[in-house]
C-alpha cells in the first residue's frame, strides 16, 4: 500500500476515534445518572476534564511531534486514551470516571495535528487540501456515531462494555499507526532536537505583551 494511503487510513482511524470520545459522554449520560447517581454538574465535570486534558497536552505534545514525529507520538498518546477508556468502564465512583476522562483527553489531544503533519510528510502539496478535507470528514463521522447509532447500541450493550470496546478500538488504532504509518523526526537548523527550539519559541510567546493583550482582551 502506498505510504500516503497508509498514513491516511491509519491516522484517520485515530481521528475518528477521538471524535467518538468527544461526544461519548453525552450518550452515556442517562446510564451514568441511573446507575451511579450522577447529576448534571457531575456530567459537566466529566465533559470538561476531557477538554482540560486535551488542552494541557497541546504544547508538550506539539514539541514532541516536531522531535519524534507524528507516528510515535500519536500512537503513544492513544494508548493513554485506551487506558483512560478502560478505567472509565471499570469505575464505580465519580473520581474514577474523572481520571478516565482526563486520560482520554490527553490521549487524543494530537489526533488531528499528528494526522495533518504525517500527511504533509508523505504527500505532495497539491494533494494536501483534498486529504485534509477528507481527514476532517472522517472525524466528523465520529460525531455522527455518538448520536442515534450509539443510542441504539446502548439498548443492547451496557455502557461499560461500550467503553471497553472503545479501549480496544483505540489500542488497535494506536498499533496500526505505530506499525503501519511512516514519519521522520525533525531537527532545527543547528541539528538540535526541535523540542528545544519549540519550547524557546513558546517562552518567547508567553513573554510577549502583545500576546497577553490579545489573549486576555
Amino acid at each position: 500500500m502506498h505510504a500516503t494511503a497508509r498514513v491516511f487510513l491509519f491516522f484517520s482511524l485515530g481521528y475518528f476515534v477521538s471524535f467518538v470520545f468527544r461526544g461519548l459522554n453525552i450518550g452515556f449520560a442517562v446510564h451514568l445518572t441511573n446507575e451511579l447517581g450522577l447529576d448534571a454538574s457531575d456530567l459537566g465535570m466529566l465533559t470538561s476534564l476531557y477538554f482540560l486534558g486535551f488542552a494541557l497536552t497541546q504544547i508538550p505534545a506539539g514539541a514532541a511531534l516536531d522531535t519524534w514525529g507524528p507516528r510515535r507520538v500519536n500512537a503513544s498518546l492513544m494508548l493513554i486514551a485506551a487506558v483512560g477508556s478502560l478505567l472509565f468502564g471499570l469505575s464505580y465512583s465519580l473520581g474514577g470516571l474523572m481520571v478516565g476522562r482526563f486520560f482520554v483527553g490527553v490521549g487524543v489531544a494530537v489526533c488531528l495535528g499528528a494526522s495533518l503533519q504525517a500527511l504533509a510528510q508523505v504527500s505532495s502539496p497539491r494533494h494536501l487540501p483534498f486529504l485534509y478535507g477528507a481527514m476532517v470528514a472522517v472525524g466528523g463521522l465520529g460525531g455522527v456515531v455518538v448520536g442515534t447509532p450509539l443510542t441504539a447500541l446502548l439498548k443492547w450493550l451496557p455502557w461499560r462494555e461500550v467503553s471497553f470496546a472503545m479501549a480496544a478500538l483505540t489500542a488497535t488504532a494506536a498499533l496500526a499507526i505505530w506499525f503501519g504509518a511512516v514519519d521522520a523526526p525533525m531537527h532545527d537548523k543547528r541539528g538540535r532536537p526541535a523540542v528545544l527550539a519549540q519550547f524557546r519559541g513558546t517562552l518567547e510567546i508567553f513573554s510577549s505583551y502583545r500576546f497577553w493583550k490579545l489573549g486576555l482582551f
Side-chain angles (χ1 to χ4, degrees):
M1 186 184 298
H2 191 274
T4 300
R6 289 160 55 195
V7 166
F8 180 85
L9 177 64
F10 300 136
F11 276 89
S12 63
L13 175 59
Y15 188 45
F16 171 84
V17 168
S18 75
F19 247 85
V20 174
F21 274 127
R22 182 174 298 190
L24 196 62
N25 219 34
I26 299 173
F28 286 172
V30 173
H31 304 275
L32 294 174
T33 299
N34 293 337
E35 182 176 331
L36 302 178
L38 302 187
D39 57 25
S41 63
D42 296 330
L43 295 173
M45 174 66 74
L46 292 178
T47 299
S48 65
L49 281 170
Y50 168 92
F51 291 104
L52 177 62
F54 194 100
L56 292 177
T57 308
Q58 293 304 305
I59 292 178
L65 285 172
D66 287 342
T67 303
W68 295 291
R71 179 181 65 86
R72 296 176 180 86
V73 176
N74 197 27
S76 299
L77 285 177
M78 288 195 72
L79 290 177
I80 296 177
V83 171
S85 186
L86 182 62
L87 288 174
F88 193 90
L90 291 172
S91 297
Y92 287 85
S93 67
L94 178 60
L97 296 173
M98 290 170 63
V99 173
R101 281 295 288 180
F102 182 80
F103 278 13
V104 168
V106 169
V108 301
V110 297
C111 283
L112 177 59
S115 300
L116 301 183
Q117 184 185 32
L119 286 172
Q121 290 180 347
V122 299
S123 180
S124 63
R126 65 190 181 92
H127 292 145
L128 290 180
F130 171 77
L131 292 172
Y132 287 175
M135 180 72 68
V136 172
V138 171
L141 292 176
V144 173
V145 166
V146 295
T148 301
L150 177 61
T151 301
L153 181 62
L154 288 171
K155 293 180 180 179
W156 298 93
L157 289 177
W159 66 271
R160 294 185 186 277
E161 292 188 17
V162 174
S163 191
F164 297 152
M166 282 299 300
L169 177 61
T170 306
T172 299
L175 293 175
I177 291 170
W178 183 274
F179 293 107
V182 295
D183 62 14
M186 294 180 288
H187 295 75
D188 65 16
K189 294 181 180 179
R190 298 182 181 180
R192 294 173 295 192
V195 65
L196 300 178
Q198 186 88 344
F199 280 117
R200 284 197 299 272
T202 302
L203 181 60
E204 290 178 7
I205 292 173
F206 284 157
S207 302
S208 169
Y209 168 75
R210 292 183 178 180
F211 167 77
W212 290 110
K213 183 179 180 180
L214 291 173
L216 295 177
F217 303 102

